[in-house]
Amino acid sequence: NWSDRIFGSSKKEYPYSLNPVPASMNFASFRAKGGSRFEEYADGSSPYEISEYTISQSDEQARSRRVHVKAAMEFAWGGYTKYAFGADEVTPWSHRGKERWGNTGCTLVDSLDTLWLMDMKDEFWKARDWVRDHLQHDQAGLVSTFETTIRSLGGLLSAYDWSGDTAFLEKAKELGDRLLGAFPEGEDLPKAQVNLRNGSNKGSSWFHSELTAEVGTIQIENRYLSKMSKDSKYATKTEKVYELLNNVMPSNGLYPYGISERGGKIEFTNSKLTFGAMSDSFYEYMLKIWIQGGQTEPMYRDMYDKAIQGMHDILLQTSTPSGLSYIADSNSNRMDHKMDHLVCFMGGLLALGAYTDPQGLESNRAQRDLK
């Protein structure tokens, strides 16, 4: 601010170590330092002067960690390759493959973009060969519409986006066609489960209706599939979900997580408000769909902004005695003072929303969310 520029900042220098992590560091003996650190950040403000030199040190430290992050991936991928290559999962104790996701190579497909990003190209192309020559979806049977979309369809599309290899796009189109079977004839909300073999669908096996997180977290993948395949049906079908939900938006912008469709209209089947399980990624996709579309589709940003305002007004709480902020739940207008671990994505989402805020990064709204 102006006083800092004239009189100098009264903040202290950043006190924590920013030394690079040695490449030879053995993390097998690493012990975390535990809590009660960084408590001075509790109110969301920085008490320290962050200079350009401090930023460069921080960047250098972050870059030095990459070798260790990659080593962890190489270790994990090596175990999967050795004991379960092509299987949905590897069981770490028994060293065997396990088919829990319809025999769709879930771990392999979901790892493709990470292999590319970490420059594990030999491993990536070997996995591509398996996708091209062995991946089948016509024998999968009943799978989760949501999980299969974000992991398998998303994995194939991200691999295609990085590599340009059409084998991934062909498999993605085939899977996308099968996933559209989740939408019952004449209805606009997808069912929780779809049979990839015969195209039938059914609701959740444990919940009485559909979940906002499940119906609202399939759009990014399907929109991208429409763009790459030049076939609008994937985007058109999944975008309709948001149009219906926007039509029944509560005044506070927060949606109960249970919903159903009757006669072409959306009804809420419970009254629990949460940014945790059953709702979480619905709010994430509001913002990211808007960004994906070049920030030209205001409905999605409007839904996001109203939801975040509702979060500040109703769910954002302060703990006692520590004074830490947390996002609680509300059930039938009664506060449940706990923060679901899945809500931890909100720090990143609020920052992304602030940096893309149409009102500008310096606006009160963006600065509120950054804090």
Side-chain angles (χ1 to χ4, degrees):
N1 58 36
W2 68 270
S3 62
D4 287 346
R5 291 195 294 270
I6 296 175
F7 300 109
S9 174
S10 60
K11 293 182 178 181
K12 302 175 183 178
E13 291 187 9
Y14 188 76
Y16 300 105
S17 172
L18 292 172
N19 293 328
V21 180
S24 59
M25 175 129 179
N26 179 12
F27 278 92
S29 60
F30 176 77
R31 295 293 179 270
K33 295 181 180 179
S36 300
R37 295 183 297 141
F38 308 109
E39 291 180 332
E40 63 271 33
Y41 286 95
D43 70 348
S45 301
S46 174
Y48 304 118
E49 179 71 24
I50 306 299
S51 65
E52 291 297 326
Y53 177 67
T54 301
I55 294 173
S56 67
Q57 282 186 305
S58 178
D59 289 345
E60 184 179 355
Q61 183 186 67
R63 283 190 288 268
S64 73
R65 292 169 172 164
R66 292 184 299 184
V67 62
H68 302 289
V69 175
K70 183 175 181 178
M73 175 61 180
E74 290 171 334
F75 174 80
W77 184 255
Y80 173 74
T81 299
K82 182 176 180 179
Y83 300 114
F85 190 76
D88 287 342
E89 296 179 354
V90 59
T91 53
W93 284 108
S94 60
H95 295 173
R96 287 187 297 226
K98 192 169 185 178
E99 309 298 352
R100 292 188 59 193
W101 299 94
N103 196 12
T104 56
C106 183
T107 291
L108 184 148
V109 173
D110 203 10
S111 302
L112 288 166
D113 56 346
T114 301
L115 292 173
W116 184 277
L117 280 167
M118 292 192 172
D119 199 29
M120 297 172 64
K121 296 300 197 305
D122 290 342
E123 294 86 345
F124 177 88
W125 293 118
K126 181 180 178 182
R128 185 282 313 269
D129 292 346
W130 185 90
V131 169
R132 182 193 61 203
D133 300 336
H134 301 289
L135 178 60
Q136 297 182 0
H137 298 110
D138 57 354
Q139 301 301 314
L142 204 62
V143 300
S144 164
T145 305
F146 158 68
E147 296 285 359
T148 305
T149 297
I150 65 170
R151 302 183 189 284
S152 295
L153 184 59
L156 291 168
L157 290 171
S158 61
Y160 172 69
D161 188 58
W162 284 116
S163 69
D165 193 299
T166 56
F168 297 119
L169 182 59
E170 291 304 314
K171 294 291 185 179
K173 287 192 291 185
E174 184 253 335
L175 177 57
D177 288 339
R178 295 180 184 279
L179 286 169
L180 288 180
F183 290 85
E185 186 71 27
E187 296 185 20
D188 293 311
L189 281 189
K191 292 298 183 181
Q193 301 177 86
V194 59
N195 190 309
L196 297 183
R197 186 186 306 118
N198 60 30
S200 63
N201 54 64
K202 63 180 295 187
S204 171
S205 60
W206 60 272
F207 192 64
H208 59 271
S209 63
E210 308 310 320
L211 302 172
T212 54
E214 293 196 342
V215 303
T217 312
I218 58 175
Q219 286 70 25
I220 288 176
E221 294 81 2
N222 280 280
R223 282 159 56 100
Y224 187 71
L225 179 56
S226 280
K227 181 178 180 179
M228 292 298 102
S229 66
K230 297 179 173 56
D231 189 337
S232 63
K233 65 183 179 183
Y234 311 105
T236 299
K237 195 63 177 174
T238 57
E239 287 173 341
K240 182 67 173 179
V241 173
Y242 270 77
E243 294 172 14
L244 293 175
L245 288 170
N246 183 58
N247 290 339
V248 295
M249 182 194 298
S251 59
N252 57 24
L254 302 176
Y255 289 77
Y257 68 67
I259 57 173
S260 64
E261 180 181 1
R262 293 195 180 126
K265 295 183 179 180
I266 300 297
E267 297 179 356
F268 300 118
T269 64
N270 70 351
S271 58
K272 184 168 182 177
L273 306 178
T274 179
F275 276 76
M278 278 74 85
S279 291
D280 49 357
S281 50
F282 172 48
Y283 297 109
E284 176 189 359
Y285 268 44
M286 290 176 183
L287 177 63
K288 292 183 177 179
I289 294 171
W290 176 72
I291 294 174
Q292 182 190 43
Q295 305 179 14
T296 60
E297 301 159 290
M299 179 186 75
Y300 300 108
R301 180 75 205 204
D302 184 56
M303 293 176 74
Y304 170 79
D305 287 333
K306 289 180 178 176
I308 297 304
Q309 185 62 54
M311 181 272 292
H312 280 281
D313 292 342
I314 299 173
L315 302 182
L316 188 63
Q317 304 289 312
T318 302
S319 69
T320 302
S322 302
L324 302 177
S325 297
Y326 66 98
I327 301 173
D329 294 346
S330 174
N331 199 351
S332 300
N333 294 318
R334 297 183 64 180
M335 295 304 301
D336 183 3
H337 289 279
K338 59 92 175 174
M339 180 168 163
D340 194 309
H341 72 284
L342 291 176
V343 186
C344 292
F345 81 98
M346 278 297 290
L349 187 69
L350 289 169
L352 182 61
Y355 274 92
T356 58
D357 195 319
Q359 296 181 6
L361 182 60
E362 299 304 320
S363 66
N364 290 335
R365 184 172 70 181
Q367 289 298 307
R368 174 201 66 182
D369 291 347
L370 279 179
K371 187 174 181 179

